[in-house]
């Protein structure tokens, strides 16, 4: 009975994906911008389509940009536009969805980098934060409505687990570096010619 029960439950555990946010904890000063990476761990499965629903405290954070340059998603079903970012800042919720033809099966053997970024969100903190919003952890969450689909030719939905991120606004943040500004300054690659 125990062995039978184990095999009955096994499929729900063997097929899963984990969406997580990096860094999982960070501290920033008022007026600062920071980049939050949305990443995926395939847990040994091959996935070809994902949808991520995100919730953030819009009373202390606003989205400045959604970057896809480092994303493993090559086909976008729902890539946040400027209008959607403006709406997200009003509602505190952002969604995006995309696909990977042929599927993404996780880190390639011998690859020194962890190429599992789905998207990068640039958040900005208002210049003035007062009262209870200072010196406390605020959650940026991946919602249960997020989805991932196996690259099995049948569009099988798999179980999604998530790991959220926490951000603290403090006058004395551990790092005063504005990561987004630094990325903009270091970007010296001209855009492709467009006709």
């Amino acid at each position: 009975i125990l062995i039978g029960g184990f095999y009955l439950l096994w499929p729900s555990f063997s097929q899963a994906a984990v969406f997580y946010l990096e860094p999982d904890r960070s501290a920033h000063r008022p007026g600062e911008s920071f980049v939050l990476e949305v990443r995926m761990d395939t847990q040994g499965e091959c996935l070809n389509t994902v949808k991520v629903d995100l919730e953030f405290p819009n009373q202390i954070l606003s989205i400045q940009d959604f970057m896809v340059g480092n994303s493993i998603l090559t086909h976008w079903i729902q890539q946040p536009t400027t209008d959607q970012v403006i709406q997200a800042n009003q509602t505190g919720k952002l969604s995006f969805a995309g696909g990977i033809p042929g599927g993404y099966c996780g880190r390639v053997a011998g690859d020194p980098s962890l190429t599992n970024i789905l998207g990068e969100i640039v958040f900005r903190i208002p210049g003035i934060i007062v009262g209870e919003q200072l010196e406390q952890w605020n959650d940026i969450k991946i919602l249960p409505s997020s989805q991932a689909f196996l690259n099995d030719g049948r569009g099988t939905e798999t179980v999604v687990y998530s790991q959220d991120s926490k951000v603290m606004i403090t006058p004395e943040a551990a790092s005063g570096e504005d990561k987004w500004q630094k990325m903009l300054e270091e970007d010296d690659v001209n855009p492709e010619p467009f006709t």
Side-chain angles (χ1 to χ4, degrees):
I1 292 172
L2 287 174
I3 292 172
F6 174 78
Y7 281 109
L8 191 63
L9 293 172
W10 175 255
S12 64
F13 291 102
S14 64
Q15 296 181 341
V18 179
F19 294 154
Y20 64 100
L21 303 172
E22 195 170 89
D24 61 345
R25 282 179 181 255
S26 59
H28 306 278
R29 294 185 178 98
E32 199 171 81
S33 296
F34 66 96
V35 179
L36 189 70
E37 298 169 345
V38 184
R39 293 179 175 266
M40 175 176 70
D41 183 347
T42 67
Q43 298 286 292
E45 298 295 336
C46 290
L47 305 173
N48 64 12
T49 310
V50 298
K51 175 180 176 282
V52 178
D53 296 327
L54 198 86
E55 185 177 58
F56 63 95
N58 60 335
Q59 70 277 11
I60 60 164
L61 297 177
S62 64
I63 297 175
Q64 296 292 104
D65 197 4
F66 182 84
M67 301 185 296
V68 299
N70 294 322
S71 177
I72 59 173
L73 301 176
T74 57
H75 288 62
W76 288 90
I77 301 164
Q78 181 185 356
Q79 180 179 344
T81 62
T82 302
D83 289 342
Q84 288 169 330
V85 167
I86 291 170
Q87 185 179 4
N89 286 333
Q90 295 170 350
T91 62
K93 293 182 180 180
L94 179 74
S95 296
F96 66 89
I100 310 132
Y104 175 74
C105 305
R107 191 174 188 172
V108 178
D111 186 351
S113 61
L114 189 58
T115 52
N116 64 349
I117 293 176
L118 300 175
E120 295 173 284
I121 305 170
V122 180
F123 284 103
R124 182 156 186 84
I125 302 157
I128 299 175
I129 300 286
V130 294
E132 296 179 359
Q133 296 170 333
L134 275 174
E135 302 289 340
Q136 70 174 5
W137 291 108
N138 299 276
D139 293 326
I140 303 173
K141 300 178 182 179
I142 295 173
L143 298 174
S145 53
S146 299
Q147 297 173 290
F149 297 87
L150 298 175
N151 186 48
D152 61 357
R154 298 188 300 274
T156 305
E157 187 173 356
T158 186
V159 177
V160 172
Y161 299 104
S162 64
Q163 175 189 311
D164 302 331
S165 180
K166 293 183 180 292
V167 62
M168 180 186 287
I169 314 303
T170 171
E172 301 298 331
S175 169
E177 180 181 67
D178 190 324
K179 187 177 178 183
W180 186 42
Q181 187 62 39
K182 185 177 179 182
M183 290 171 71
L184 293 176
E185 291 170 358
E186 292 176 350
D187 182 7
D188 58 0
V189 179
N190 292 325
E192 292 289 326
F194 179 77
T195 58

